[in-house]
C-alpha cells in the first residue's frame, strides 16, 4: 500500500481512465512528472471538474488521447499552449462538459447508478456535442419537462495529492470532499501525500471526519511538496517564477521540450 | 479616471447590485466581483454569505466542490458572475473559443459551470471589462450557456445585466435583449454604439451617466476591505491599492 | 440563531415535515420532549433512514399524522408499543420506504433534482405500497432495464443533536455526514448541541472537515445530554434502566400517559 | 450443547462462510454475525474489512449512513446478513409484519435496507435462530425483499443460504429454493421437516451433521476476539463468555 512514487506511477497503465482534481483540491504533480518520465500513452484524463497545468504537461508530452473536462485553465498563466496546439492539430479527443455534470457522472458511478439527472444545460452547445448525454422527460411532471440524464463516469484510477495518510492507507482529505466522491467513483485511488503519519487516522473522531478510508485506496506514496509548482490548499503557495517561466517557454514545441528535459527528465526541482 | 479608480468604481457599482442578496458566490479568478462582494458584506452585512471559490479562507462550503452546484439548484445562491470570450445580444455566452468547435482558434479554457449556473442563479451578472465588437458580438460562435430558454425549460435563473468598462446594460427578459442603463465616465452613447456588436435598447436623449461611487463606500473599500482583498487576490490588490 | 430549546421548539409548527436521524446519528430528545410539552400536532416525520424512541414518543403523544421511514425500532427494547397501537387504530398514515430510498429522496432535494434513480426494490411490496415512487426504463440501456425513480423528499426542518456549535451557528457533525445531507435537503435545520464554543469552527481546517456551515442552519440551542435517554455517538451511552422502565410501562395508553406526565410534563430527568 | 456453546458454534460456522470475503458489513443488532466477522478477520485477516453499522469504533465509513448503500451498489461489500419475521421457501423475507399491510398485527420495525441490499450484495446470509413454522413459512405475508428476480431485473446479489439454530440450507438460485446442507447437533431431519413451513430439497439418507467448530478457531474466539465482541455487544458478550 505504501510505496515510492515511481512504483505508484508504474501502476497507471497506458490507456488508463484517470480522474484528476482541479488545482484547488491538490494536484499530484510529482507523480505527474513521473508519469511523463515513464512515457505513459493514451491516457483518458477526466478533469474533476476542471484541470490545469497537470493536463497541459501530460498533453504536451504526448501521454493523452482523450481529455474529458469542463475546462483546462492555467489561470493567470493562460493560454495553455500545448493544449491549444493539440486542439489545433486534432491530436487529442475532447469531451467537453460542464462542472456539475462531471460531478453528476462521478456520483452516478459512486452510487452504482446508470445515470443521474441534472438541471440546466438544455440549449447549450455542450449538450449538442457531448457524445454520452441524453435528454429525458421528468417522470414526475405532467407537463413537458425535459431534463438531462448524465451517464456514470467510471474512472479506473483517481490520482491526487493529500496532506497525510497513515500506514494502513487511510488518507486525510479534510473538507476537500470532491476527492472522496472522485475516489469512490473510481476503481481505486493512488495518492501522494506530504507525509505518512503513525497510528490510525480513524481512531480520532476529529480527524476521522476528513478521512478517505483505505477500502478505496490502492497505493500511497510520500511526496513532500508534491503539488509543486502549483499551490497546495494545505501547504505552500504556487511558484510564480516557475509558472512565469513555463508560460514564457511553452509557446513552441521546442521550448516545451526543453522544459520537459530540464524539469522532468533531468528532474531539476528547486 | 485612472485605471485604479475605474476599477474601484466598478467594485462599488457591483457592490450596490449585491445589496439585496443573502449569498453571493464568486469565481476564483474574478477579483473585481470578489472585491465587490466582500465590500457589500463589510458595508451592509448584506450579503450575509460570500463564497470565493478556490479560496480556503473565504469559502465556507464543506461538502466538496459540488456543493456550490447543489446550492444553486436549491435557490440558495442569489448572485453569481459570468464572463465570456464572446457575449451576444441575447445574453448567450461563449467560453469555449472562436471559430468552429472542436478545433477553435483560439480555444479558451472551456465552459466551467456556466451551462448550469446560468439556469439556476437568479441574478447572474455578466461582467467583462473589455467593451469591444470582438467580445460583444451579434451571435456567439458557441453557446456555452444560453441567455434565454423556451418557457417549458426549467429555469430559475439567468442574466440580470452586463457590466463593462464603458457601461451597464440590464437584460430585458421579456424582450430577450439588453437595454443600456448607464454610461461610465469617459465613454458616451456613440462610443458604446461603435464598440458593441449587438443591437440593444437605449434612450437616445436621456441615458444617464453611471453615478460616481459613494465616498463613504470608497472609504470602507480602502480602509476595511483592502486587507481582505489582498488576502484573496494579492496581485490584483497591488494594482489598485497603495499598501 | 442561538436560543433556548423552548424557543427552538416553538419554531416547529403544526404540520411541519420534520426530518430526524436514526439513533446512531444523534437524536434531539430534549427538543422532542419540548415538542410534546408544546403539544405539536400533525407532524409529518421522516426517519432518516429509520427512527426509534423519538417517533414512538411523538406518536404516543398524538403529535404525528404521517410517519415516513424505513423502520421504527427500539432495538432491544422492541416492540414499540405506541407505534403498534397507532398502526392498529389507523391513527397515523404510514409511508414505508427502504433506507437508501430515503437517502436518495433527500439527495434529490439536496441537489435540487426532481428525482434520483435507485437500484433494487423491484419486486418488493414496499414498491407496490409506496405512493410516490415510479418505475422507469434506464435511458442508457438498449434492453429492458427497469429502475426505480425516487422523487425528492423535501423536509421543512431537519432536527438533530450534535456535539458542538459556534456562536455563528456553524455546527460540528464530524463524520455523521447523513446530517449534512439531511440538512441540505431541508429548508432549514434546528440543532441542539452539547455545548456552544467560542471562535469560528471554520477557521481550523481539521475541525472544518466536520462542519455543517450556518448557511443551512436556522437555530441552535444548548442542551447538555440532549440525547438522553438514548446514547450519543459523541457522548454518553444509553440509559438502560430508563429504557427498561419505558418498555415496561408503554404497553398500555395509561402507562404511557403516566410516563409522559412524569418524564415530560413534570420534566423529571435524572 | 449449552446455549453459549451453540451460539459459539454458530459464530464459528458463519466465520467460515466469510473467509473468502474482502468486506463484510453487519447490522448493529446482529451480535452473532458481528462476532463471526470479527473472528474471521482476527483468525485469517480475511475479510480485511469489517463494518459494524451503528458502532463508532468498528465502522470505518466516513461518508454518512448512505455510504454503505453506495458501497453495496458498486460491489464493494461481499457479504451481509438479513433476518426476517418470516422467511419463505423462495427466500422472500418479511420484516414488516404478520397479516395484511398496513394494519399488520404484529407490526415489526420495517424493511430497513433489505429491499435494496438483498439485490446488490453477492453473499447475503439469512440468519434467524428460531427455526419454526411461524418463521419459516410457505409464503410471506409481505415481501420486504424478494429472494429471486426476473432475469431482466438488475441484480448482482441475493441469498446465499439460511442458517438457523437447527440447520444450514444453501439457496439454489437456479431452482429457486433451499436445499438442506447440514444439521446441527441436537436436531435431526425429522425435527427439521416438522419445524419448517416451506418445502426444500434434501438427501434422505446422507444429510451430514454440521461439523463441530474447530478447536483452534474457538480458542481465537475466546482469547482474542471476545474483548472486541464485548466492546460492540456488551450484553451479548455477557451471555456467552465468562469474563
Amino acid at each position: 500500500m505504501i510505496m515510492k512514487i515511481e512504483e505508484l506511477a508504474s501502476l497507471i497503465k497506458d490507456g488508463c481512465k484517470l480522474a484528476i482534481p482541479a488545482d484547488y483540491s491538490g494536484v499530484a504533480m510529482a507523480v505527474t512528472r513521473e508519469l511523463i518520465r515513464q512515457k505513459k500513452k493514451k491516457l483518458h484524463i477526466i478533469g474533476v471538474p476542471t484541470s490545469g497545468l497537470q493536463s497541459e504537461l501530460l498533453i504536451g508530452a504526448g501521454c493523452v488521447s482523450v481529455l474529458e473536462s469542463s475546462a483546462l485553465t492555467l489561470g493567470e498563466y493562460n493560454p495553455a499552449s500545448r493544449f491549444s496546439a493539440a486542439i489545433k492539430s486534432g491530436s487529442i479527443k475532447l469531451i467537453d462538459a460542464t462542472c456539475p455534470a462531471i460531478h453528476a457522472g462521478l456520483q452516478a458511478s459512486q452510487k452504482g447508478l446508470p445515470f443521474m439527472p441534472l438541471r440546466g444545460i438544455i440549449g447549450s452547445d455542450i449538450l449538442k456535442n457531448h457524445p454520452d448525454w441524453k435528454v429525458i422527460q421528468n417522470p414526475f411532471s405532467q407537463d413537458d419537462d425535459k431534463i438531462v440524464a448524465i451517464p456514470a463516469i467510471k474512472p479506473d484510477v483517481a490520482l491526487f495529492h493529500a496532506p497525510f495518510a497513515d500506514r494502513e492507507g487511510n488518507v486525510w482529505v479534510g473538507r476537500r470532499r470532491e476527492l472522496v466522491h472522485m475516489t469512490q467513483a473510481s476503481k481505486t485511488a493512488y495518492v501522494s501525500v506530504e507525509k505518512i503519519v503513525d497510528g490510525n487516522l480513524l481512531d480520532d473522531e476529529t480527524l476521522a471526519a476528513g478521512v478517505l478510508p483505505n477500502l478505496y485506496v490502492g497505493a500511497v506514496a510520500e511526496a513532500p511538496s508534491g503539488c509543486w509548482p502549483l499551490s497546495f490548499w494545505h501547504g505552500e503557495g504556487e511558484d510564480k517564477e516557475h509558472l512565469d517561466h513555463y508560460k514564457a517557454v511553452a509557446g513552441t514545441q521546442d521550448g516545451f521540450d526543453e522544459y520537459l528535459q530540464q524539469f522532468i527528465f533531468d528532474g531539476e526541482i528547486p | 479616471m485612472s485605471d485604479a479608480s475605474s476599477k474601484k468604481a466598478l467594485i462599488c457599482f457591483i457592490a450596490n447590485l449585491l445589496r439585496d442578496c443573502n449569498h453571493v458566490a464568486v469565481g476564483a479568478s474574478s477579483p473585481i466581483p470578489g472585491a465587490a462582494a466582500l465590500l457589500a458584506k463589510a458595508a451592509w452585512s448584506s450579503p450575509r454569505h460570500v463564497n470565493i471559490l478556490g479560496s480556503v479562507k473565504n469559502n465556507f462550503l464543506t461538502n466538496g466542490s459540488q456543493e456550490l452546484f447543489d446550492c444553486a439548484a436549491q435557490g440558495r445562491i442569489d448572485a453569481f458572475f459570468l464572463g465570456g470570450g464572446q457575449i451576444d445580444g441575447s445574453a448567450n455566452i461563449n467560453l469555449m473559443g472562436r471559430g468552429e468547435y472542436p478545433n477553435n482558434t483560439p480555444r479558451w479554457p472551456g465552459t466551467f459551470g456556466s451551462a448550469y449556473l446560468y439556469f439556476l442563479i437568479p441574478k447572474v451578472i455578466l461582467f467583462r471589462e473589455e467593451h469591444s465588437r470582438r467580445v460583444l458580438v451579434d451571435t456567439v460562435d458557441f453557446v456555452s450557456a444560453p441567455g434565454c430558454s423556451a418557457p417549458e425549460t426549467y429555469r430559475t435563473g439567468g442574466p440580470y445585466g452586463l457590466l463593462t468598462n464603458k457601461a451597464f446594460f440590464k437584460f430585458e427578459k421579456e424582450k430577450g435583449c439588453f437595454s443600456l442603463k448607464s454610461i461610465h465616465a469617459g465613454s458616451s452613447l456613440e462610443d458604446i454604439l461603435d464598440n458593441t456588436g449587438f443591437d440593444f435598447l437605449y434612450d437616445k436623449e436621456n441615458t444617464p451617466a453611471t453615478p460616481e461611487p459613494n465616498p463613504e463606500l470608497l472609504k470602507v473599500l480602502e480602509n476595511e476591505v483592502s486587507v481582505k482583498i489582498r488576502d484573496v487576490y494579492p496581485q490584483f490588490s497591488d494594482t489598485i491599492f497603495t499598501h
Side-chain angles (χ1 to χ4, degrees), chain A, chain B:
Chain A
M1 177 74 86
I2 312 294
M3 55 185 74
K4 300 253 177 240
I5 67 163
E6 291 81 1
E7 197 186 338
L8 182 148
S10 76
L11 298 174
I12 296 172
K13 304 301 179 195
D14 289 353
C16 178
K17 204 164 184 177
L18 189 66
I20 54 177
D23 287 0
Y24 51 73
S25 285
V27 176
M29 288 303 293
V31 178
T32 300
R33 287 186 289 274
E34 185 58 29
L35 292 175
I36 292 172
R37 283 193 286 271
Q38 293 184 12
K39 299 191 190 302
K40 302 297 175 186
K41 294 286 169 211
K42 295 189 192 298
L43 299 178
H44 175 145
I45 298 288
I46 300 160
V48 181
T50 65
S51 189
L53 183 66
Q54 182 177 26
S55 287
E56 161 81 356
L57 293 181
L58 288 167
I59 289 168
C63 306
V64 177
S65 65
V66 181
L67 178 72
E68 180 169 6
S69 186
S70 305
L72 191 161
T73 175
L74 307 184
E76 56 185 298
Y77 308 99
N78 275 332
S81 302
R82 293 304 96 208
F83 172 51
S84 299
I87 284 177
K88 211 168 168 180
S89 74
S91 69
I92 59 168
K93 184 186 161 198
L94 291 174
I95 302 177
D96 274 295
T98 183
C99 302
I102 297 274
H103 291 306
L106 292 170
Q107 192 141 31
S109 172
Q110 180 187 24
K111 296 186 155 293
L113 295 172
F115 72 98
M116 286 263 293
L118 193 68
R119 286 300 189 185
I121 302 178
I122 292 168
S124 164
D125 287 342
I126 286 283
L127 176 60
K128 263 190 222 158
N129 289 284
H130 199 286
D132 301 332
W133 301 345
K134 284 188 198 294
V135 177
I136 63 171
Q137 167 67 19
N138 168 9
F140 294 95
S141 175
Q142 307 299 322
D143 304 320
D144 179 14
D145 179 17
K146 297 288 184 286
I147 188 164
V148 180
I150 309 286
I153 299 173
K154 299 178 179 176
D156 296 310
V157 174
L159 172 68
F160 61 90
H161 187 73
F164 50 90
D166 66 27
R167 281 174 218 290
E168 298 175 50
N170 298 300
V171 179
W172 192 79
V173 300
R175 57 168 157 151
R176 300 263 43 110
R177 295 203 73 79
E178 60 275 8
L179 300 174
V180 173
H181 299 306
M182 181 174 111
T183 294
Q184 292 180 350
S186 304
K187 290 190 194 121
T188 190
Y190 301 152
V191 186
S192 64
V193 294
E194 289 293 307
K195 60 178 177 190
I196 306 284
V197 299
D198 293 329
N200 185 314
L201 296 178
L202 291 169
D203 286 347
D204 170 348
E205 281 299 312
T206 306
L207 281 178
V211 168
L212 172 69
N214 64 2
L215 175 68
Y216 305 98
V217 178
V220 174
E222 204 170 58
S225 303
C227 288
W228 177 87
L230 299 176
S231 69
F232 182 40
W233 65 271
H234 201 263
E236 293 153 53
E238 67 183 18
D239 184 341
K240 184 166 167 32
E241 199 181 324
H242 183 88
L243 294 169
D244 279 332
H245 173 72
Y246 179 80
K247 184 177 172 165
V249 302
T252 66
Q253 187 64 41
D254 283 355
F256 179 78
D257 289 344
E258 268 174 52
Y259 174 91
L260 281 194
Q261 193 60 47
Q262 181 179 0
F263 291 101
I264 295 184
F265 292 113
D266 297 345
E268 185 179 308
I269 294 178
Chain B
M1 230 190 312
S2 74
D3 189 51
S5 322
S6 73
K7 281 188 163 53
K8 284 180 196 164
L10 288 171
I11 292 171
C12 291
F13 186 90
I14 296 173
N16 276 291
L17 298 180
L18 302 178
R19 205 171 166 169
D20 62 355
C21 297
N22 178 51
H23 179 190
V24 174
V26 189
S29 47
S30 303
I32 290 175
L38 293 171
L39 174 58
K41 183 175 155 88
W44 307 300
S45 300
S46 180
R48 186 173 158 224
H49 302 281
V50 172
N51 236 317
I52 296 177
L53 311 177
S55 160
V56 174
K57 231 173 148 178
N58 289 278
N59 184 323
F60 60 79
L61 301 180
T62 60
N63 202 26
S65 56
Q66 82 281 12
E67 185 176 0
L68 174 84
F69 305 106
D70 296 348
C71 259
Q74 285 199 312
R76 294 198 204 253
I77 301 178
D78 303 295
F80 191 69
F81 299 86
L82 287 172
Q86 292 179 332
I87 297 170
D88 72 21
S90 305
N92 297 313
I93 62 174
N94 174 8
L95 290 81
M96 192 60 88
R98 268 195 215 97
E100 200 169 334
Y101 182 85
N103 299 109
N104 312 80
T105 316
R107 158 80 190 211
W108 301 316
T111 289
F112 293 94
S114 66
Y116 175 88
L117 296 172
Y118 210 24
F119 288 79
L120 297 167
I121 297 179
K123 199 175 210 172
V124 176
I125 298 166
L126 299 175
F127 176 63
R128 176 81 206 228
E129 282 182 271
E130 178 179 337
H131 190 135
S132 70
R133 285 177 173 263
R134 202 177 73 118
V135 171
L136 306 182
V137 297
D138 186 54
T139 309
V140 294
D141 293 348
F142 184 97
V143 179
S144 286
C148 308
S149 298
E152 69 273 15
T153 301
Y154 182 91
R155 185 159 193 167
T156 56
Y160 172 80
L162 164 65
L163 181 66
T164 71
N165 63 8
K166 290 188 190 295
F168 176 66
F169 301 83
K170 222 169 153 309
F171 189 71
E172 305 291 345
K173 203 187 153 188
E174 267 63 55
K175 299 178 184 147
C177 66
F178 288 105
S179 79
L180 182 64
K181 285 294 162 192
S182 76
I183 301 173
H184 303 344
S187 184
S188 65
L189 181 55
E190 253 187 321
D191 178 35
I192 289 165
L193 287 165
D194 280 354
N195 287 288
T196 306
F198 55 72
D199 291 337
F200 56 90
L201 304 174
Y202 59 94
D203 182 335
K204 228 173 208 162
E205 311 302 321
N206 292 307
T207 303
T210 308
E212 293 289 297
N214 177 302
E216 289 300 312
L217 194 61
L218 265 180
K219 219 181 273 170
V220 178
L221 175 62
E222 300 276 0
N223 299 344
E224 276 180 59
V225 184
S226 58
V227 190
K228 288 180 195 162
I229 294 173
R230 181 156 53 164
D231 221 45
V232 191
Y233 307 107
Q235 279 146 7
F236 170 74
S237 163
D238 286 348
T239 67
I240 67 161
F241 298 114
T242 45
H243 288 290

